[in-house]
Amino acid sequence: MEIVTVNIDPNAPFRASETMADLRNVAESLYFPMKTAGFWDTRLDLHLCPEEERRQECPHRLTNGDLDTTAYSLSLERNRQATLQLEFPHAQITLYLR
């Protein structure tokens, strides 16, 4: 999976959006015709889990409760054909596109 990091200067005179919908629009506009296959919100400890959608147990949790980003990336590659990981460090959100 290709990884792209979008760094936005936190000292800029304007504050960048940290809203998931805004970042999704940015990602899909930058990489059109790709679409969002999943996301990872570190601040909210939330992700879009293909296994949970099938009412299975989430395999992306480590024993200490943290989420396993490597397992999640592999899961999206396998289940949703994701090929691009787009990171927004200022918002602590990662989007996966296919």
Side-chain angles (χ1 to χ4, degrees), residues 22-82:
D22 292 342
L23 298 177
R24 179 182 176 178
N25 287 336
V26 167
E28 291 181 356
S29 295
L30 282 172
Y31 291 98
F32 180 81
M34 297 180 90
K35 295 291 180 190
T36 302
F39 69 87
W40 186 292
D41 188 331
T42 306
R43 263 186 301 178
L44 297 178
D45 193 30
L46 180 68
H47 70 293
L48 182 62
C49 183
E51 286 78 12
E52 286 182 337
E53 289 178 345
R54 293 190 302 264
R55 298 179 191 222
Q56 299 171 347
E57 187 175 329
C58 176
H60 312 120
R61 291 265 175 211
L62 298 171
T63 54
N64 65 0
D66 290 342
L67 291 170
D68 183 359
T69 56
T70 305
Y72 185 60
S73 294
L74 291 172
S75 177
L76 289 179
E77 281 183 285
R78 209 175 30 252
N79 295 314
R80 300 218 171 130
Q81 293 74 46

